[in-house]
């Protein structure tokens, strides 16, 4: 069953069918919506509760989780605002649906906002799977990620995320204490079967 309740973000919620699995917060890429990643969530975390909000920023009609000034050039003030809004949404949804802190699974723009939430509001997430992510904030307070599990999957041929940027994100999160599993796949910006199976194996251990 999928339900929607009045909260700050339009969203879909799929209740858990397997007790004990951490809930999953699904964060879509640019132009996606709350429906996009539900099949991915069901594949990589079968039986887990799925919470899937729609980004509240529109870029030429395409939903996103924060404003950008150009490809890869972010409006960092907007990132701060939107990451805090999203963390508040997660807390409200946890109260309404009675959920533990979720593990974020974000793709592209969704991975970038998840990384920003880790930097700014680390308590909102139990961990994160960051698919094709970049460093969202050049300057942020040093978060205490205290062993939080993070999986970063990057594409060696990604035309949007420079390898150096993905490596910097991994180093930044490790430096803040996260337990980071950082891998580069023979892939571009799009997801591959390898992303799905690595993410599933990693989530099965949580
Ligand atoms: C972003 O804007 O978050 C990244 O460039 C990824 C994208 O959405 O294309």
């Amino acid at each position: 069953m999928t339900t929607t309740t009045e909260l700050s973000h339009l969203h879909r919620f799929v209740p858990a069918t397997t007790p004990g699995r951490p809930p999953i917060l699904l964060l879509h890429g640019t132009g996606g919506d709350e429906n996009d990643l539900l099949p991915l969530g069901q594949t990589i975390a079968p039986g887990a509760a799925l919470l899937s909000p729609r980004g509240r920023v529109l870029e030429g009609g395409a939903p996103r989780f924060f404003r950008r000034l150009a490809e890869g050039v972010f409006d960092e003030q907007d990132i701060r605002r939107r990451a805090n809004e999203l963390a508040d949404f997660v807390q409200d949804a946890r109260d309404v649906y009675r959920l533990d802190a979720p593990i974020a699974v974000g793709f592209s723009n969704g991975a970038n906002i998840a990384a920003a939430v880790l930097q700014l509001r680390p308590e909102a997430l139990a961990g994160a799977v960051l698919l094709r992510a970049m460093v969202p904030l050049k300057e942020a307070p040093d978060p205490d990620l205290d062993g939080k599990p993070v999986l970063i999957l990057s594409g060696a041929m990604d035309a949007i995320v420079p390898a150096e940027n993905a490596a910097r994100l991994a180093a930044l999160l490790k430096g803040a204490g996260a337990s980071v599993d950082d891998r580069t796949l023979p892939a571009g910006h799009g997801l591959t079967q390898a992303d799905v199976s690595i993410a599933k194996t990693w989530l099965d251990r949580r």
Side-chain angles (χ1 to χ4, degrees):
M1 187 186 61
T2 303
T3 56
T4 307
T5 305
E6 291 294 318
L7 288 172
S8 61
H9 289 58
L10 269 176
H11 66 282
R12 300 277 300 270
F13 175 67
V14 182
T17 53
T18 305
R21 283 207 80 137
I24 303 294
L25 175 70
L26 295 167
L27 300 168
H28 63 77
T30 301
D33 68 18
E34 65 278 18
N35 300 303
D36 263 32
L37 296 185
L38 290 175
L40 176 70
Q42 269 148 354
T43 302
I44 63 178
L50 303 177
L51 178 64
S52 185
R54 185 191 299 184
R56 298 179 71 192
V57 169
L58 285 179
E59 182 186 89
R64 287 176 51 84
F65 285 95
F66 58 82
R67 278 189 65 215
R68 64 179 162 184
L69 308 172
E71 178 69 64
V73 184
F74 301 153
D75 177 341
E76 297 203 11
Q77 200 181 336
D78 194 60
I79 294 183
R80 287 169 199 279
R81 170 179 167 200
R82 303 295 177 179
N84 278 302
E85 275 178 11
L86 184 63
D88 291 343
F89 162 79
V90 168
Q91 187 53 58
D92 292 344
R94 286 182 60 189
D95 293 343
V96 169
Y97 299 121
R98 297 173 182 278
L99 300 172
D100 290 338
I103 295 180
V105 173
F107 167 63
S108 190
N109 182 246
N112 296 342
I113 194 72
V117 171
L118 285 174
Q119 283 185 286
L120 297 172
R121 297 278 298 273
E123 76 289 350
L125 300 176
V129 175
L130 306 177
L131 305 165
R132 311 299 184 269
M134 299 172 71
V135 175
L137 292 166
K138 291 197 200 83
E139 276 166 41
D142 262 350
D144 180 3
L145 295 177
D146 191 25
K148 230 177 254 297
V150 178
L151 174 65
I152 301 178
L153 296 180
S154 306
M157 286 92 75
D158 192 329
I160 294 176
V161 180
E164 158 284 316
N165 193 310
R168 209 150 29 89
L169 177 64
L172 187 155
L173 297 176
K174 273 179 206 161
S179 167
V180 178
D181 183 346
D182 170 27
R183 304 195 210 176
T184 302
L185 307 178
H189 196 66
L191 297 183
T192 65
Q193 193 50 48
D195 289 279
V196 174
S197 58
I198 295 168
K200 180 172 190 313
T201 305
W202 188 88
L203 284 168
D204 280 345
R205 298 202 307 263
R206 304 299 133 200

mmCIF file of all heavy atoms in Angstrom, residues 2 6 16 24 45 48 55 71 75 98 111 115 131 138 144 157-158 193 199:
data_model
loop_
_atom_site.group_PDB
_atom_site.id
_atom_site.type_symbol
_atom_site.label_atom_id
_atom_site.label_comp_id
_atom_site.label_asym_id
_atom_site.label_seq_id
_atom_site.Cartn_x
_atom_site.Cartn_y
_atom_site.Cartn_z
ATOM 1 N N THR A 2 0.494 2.251 -0.725
ATOM 2 C CA THR A 2 1.232 3.509 -0.739
ATOM 3 C C THR A 2 0.289 4.610 -0.282
ATOM 4 O O THR A 2 -0.845 4.667 -0.720
ATOM 5 C CB THR A 2 1.712 3.835 -2.153
ATOM 6 O OG1 THR A 2 2.493 2.749 -2.611
ATOM 7 C CG2 THR A 2 2.528 5.098 -2.180
ATOM 8 N N GLU A 6 -0.488 14.935 4.295
ATOM 9 C CA GLU A 6 -0.088 16.337 4.199
ATOM 10 C C GLU A 6 1.166 16.595 5.037
ATOM 11 O O GLU A 6 1.115 16.553 6.247
ATOM 12 C CB GLU A 6 -1.225 17.228 4.730
ATOM 13 C CG GLU A 6 -2.452 17.253 3.850
ATOM 14 C CD GLU A 6 -2.193 17.903 2.498
ATOM 15 O OE1 GLU A 6 -1.504 18.941 2.462
ATOM 16 O OE2 GLU A 6 -2.674 17.356 1.486
ATOM 17 N N ALA A 16 6.537 -0.568 5.770
ATOM 18 C CA ALA A 16 7.392 -1.768 5.808
ATOM 19 C C ALA A 16 6.538 -3.024 5.818
ATOM 20 O O ALA A 16 5.440 -3.043 6.363
ATOM 21 C CB ALA A 16 8.259 -1.739 7.063
ATOM 22 N N ILE A 24 13.878 3.641 4.293
ATOM 23 C CA ILE A 24 14.695 4.211 3.219
ATOM 24 C C ILE A 24 14.077 5.532 2.774
ATOM 25 O O ILE A 24 12.867 5.604 2.500
ATOM 26 C CB ILE A 24 14.755 3.243 2.008
ATOM 27 C CG1 ILE A 24 15.307 1.873 2.416
ATOM 28 C CG2 ILE A 24 15.568 3.853 0.867
ATOM 29 C CD1 ILE A 24 16.757 1.860 2.847
ATOM 30 N N ALA A 45 15.973 -2.702 -1.173
ATOM 31 C CA ALA A 45 15.623 -2.839 0.251
ATOM 32 C C ALA A 45 14.237 -3.461 0.364
ATOM 33 O O ALA A 45 13.299 -2.838 0.875
ATOM 34 C CB ALA A 45 15.674 -1.479 0.941
ATOM 35 N N ALA A 48 11.409 -2.946 3.262
ATOM 36 C CA ALA A 48 11.651 -1.754 4.091
ATOM 37 C C ALA A 48 10.571 -0.703 3.830
ATOM 38 O O ALA A 48 10.008 -0.648 2.728
ATOM 39 C CB ALA A 48 13.025 -1.158 3.761
ATOM 40 N N GLY A 55 11.374 16.873 -4.753
ATOM 41 C CA GLY A 55 12.122 18.109 -4.537
ATOM 42 C C GLY A 55 11.231 19.321 -4.766
ATOM 43 O O GLY A 55 10.388 19.321 -5.657
ATOM 44 N N GLU A 71 25.217 24.007 -14.495
ATOM 45 C CA GLU A 71 25.566 22.600 -14.272
ATOM 46 C C GLU A 71 26.766 22.506 -13.322
ATOM 47 O O GLU A 71 27.825 23.081 -13.614
ATOM 48 C CB GLU A 71 25.901 21.973 -15.634
ATOM 49 C CG GLU A 71 26.341 20.525 -15.593
ATOM 50 C CD GLU A 71 25.214 19.588 -15.206
ATOM 51 O OE1 GLU A 71 24.233 19.504 -15.961
ATOM 52 O OE2 GLU A 71 25.334 18.960 -14.140
ATOM 53 N N ASP A 75 23.811 26.841 -5.768
ATOM 54 C CA ASP A 75 23.423 27.978 -4.936
ATOM 55 C C ASP A 75 23.492 27.473 -3.489
ATOM 56 O O ASP A 75 22.558 26.843 -2.995
ATOM 57 C CB ASP A 75 22.002 28.417 -5.323
ATOM 58 C CG ASP A 75 21.477 29.546 -4.459
ATOM 59 O OD1 ASP A 75 22.017 29.759 -3.346
ATOM 60 O OD2 ASP A 75 20.507 30.196 -4.876
ATOM 61 N N ARG A 98 5.694 6.865 12.293
ATOM 62 C CA ARG A 98 6.390 6.110 13.361
ATOM 63 C C ARG A 98 7.579 5.334 12.819
ATOM 64 O O ARG A 98 7.598 4.093 12.799
ATOM 65 C CB ARG A 98 5.420 5.144 14.054
ATOM 66 C CG ARG A 98 4.296 5.866 14.745
ATOM 67 C CD ARG A 98 3.260 4.930 15.282
ATOM 68 N NE ARG A 98 2.201 5.707 15.893
ATOM 69 C CZ ARG A 98 2.241 6.213 17.125
ATOM 70 N NH1 ARG A 98 3.299 6.023 17.881
ATOM 71 N NH2 ARG A 98 1.233 6.916 17.594
ATOM 72 N N ALA A 111 21.336 12.639 -4.426
ATOM 73 C CA ALA A 111 22.523 12.260 -3.651
ATOM 74 C C ALA A 111 23.190 13.505 -3.090
ATOM 75 O O ALA A 111 23.699 13.513 -1.961
ATOM 76 C CB ALA A 111 23.501 11.490 -4.539
ATOM 77 N N ALA A 115 23.927 14.370 0.790
ATOM 78 C CA ALA A 115 25.257 14.712 1.313
ATOM 79 C C ALA A 115 25.191 16.019 2.106
ATOM 80 O O ALA A 115 25.839 16.165 3.150
ATOM 81 C CB ALA A 115 26.264 14.811 0.165
ATOM 82 N N LEU A 131 24.525 7.938 -4.920
ATOM 83 C CA LEU A 131 24.753 7.448 -6.280
ATOM 84 C C LEU A 131 25.064 8.640 -7.176
ATOM 85 O O LEU A 131 24.216 9.500 -7.391
ATOM 86 C CB LEU A 131 23.513 6.695 -6.770
ATOM 87 C CG LEU A 131 23.045 5.546 -5.842
ATOM 88 C CD1 LEU A 131 21.625 5.094 -6.180
ATOM 89 C CD2 LEU A 131 24.015 4.377 -5.917
ATOM 90 N N LYS A 138 30.880 23.883 -0.151
ATOM 91 C CA LYS A 138 32.339 24.045 -0.019
ATOM 92 C C LYS A 138 32.699 24.357 1.416
ATOM 93 O O LYS A 138 33.716 23.926 1.925
ATOM 94 C CB LYS A 138 32.815 25.156 -0.945
ATOM 95 C CG LYS A 138 32.710 24.762 -2.402
ATOM 96 C CD LYS A 138 33.558 25.672 -3.283
ATOM 97 C CE LYS A 138 33.087 25.606 -4.726
ATOM 98 N NZ LYS A 138 31.926 26.508 -4.976
ATOM 99 N N ASP A 144 29.682 15.802 12.948
ATOM 100 C CA ASP A 144 30.204 14.617 13.624
ATOM 101 C C ASP A 144 29.412 13.426 13.100
ATOM 102 O O ASP A 144 28.274 13.202 13.502
ATOM 103 C CB ASP A 144 30.038 14.769 15.141
ATOM 104 C CG ASP A 144 30.587 13.547 15.852
ATOM 105 O OD1 ASP A 144 31.140 12.646 15.168
ATOM 106 O OD2 ASP A 144 30.460 13.479 17.092
ATOM 107 N N MET A 157 33.161 7.069 -15.978
ATOM 108 C CA MET A 157 32.950 7.869 -17.201
ATOM 109 C C MET A 157 31.849 8.921 -17.000
ATOM 110 O O MET A 157 31.243 9.373 -17.970
ATOM 111 C CB MET A 157 32.544 6.950 -18.368
ATOM 112 C CG MET A 157 33.687 6.125 -18.929
ATOM 113 S SD MET A 157 33.802 4.518 -18.130
ATOM 114 C CE MET A 157 32.441 3.641 -18.862
ATOM 115 N N ASP A 158 31.617 9.312 -15.762
ATOM 116 C CA ASP A 158 30.535 10.274 -15.484
ATOM 117 C C ASP A 158 30.905 11.641 -16.061
ATOM 118 O O ASP A 158 31.923 12.227 -15.675
ATOM 119 C CB ASP A 158 30.328 10.356 -13.966
ATOM 120 C CG ASP A 158 29.050 11.084 -13.590
ATOM 121 O OD1 ASP A 158 28.638 11.993 -14.339
ATOM 122 O OD2 ASP A 158 28.472 10.752 -12.549
ATOM 123 N N GLN A 193 23.349 -2.050 -13.472
ATOM 124 C CA GLN A 193 23.003 -3.215 -12.652
ATOM 125 C C GLN A 193 23.978 -3.350 -11.477
ATOM 126 O O GLN A 193 23.590 -3.773 -10.392
ATOM 127 C CB GLN A 193 23.005 -4.469 -13.540
ATOM 128 C CG GLN A 193 22.356 -5.688 -12.900
ATOM 129 C CD GLN A 193 20.968 -5.393 -12.310
ATOM 130 O OE1 GLN A 193 20.129 -4.773 -12.976
ATOM 131 N NE2 GLN A 193 20.741 -5.784 -11.060
ATOM 132 N N ALA A 199 24.434 -1.812 -3.987
ATOM 133 C CA ALA A 199 23.606 -1.108 -2.990
ATOM 134 C C ALA A 199 22.767 -2.116 -2.207
ATOM 135 O O ALA A 199 22.628 -1.999 -0.980
ATOM 136 C CB ALA A 199 22.713 -0.082 -3.680
#
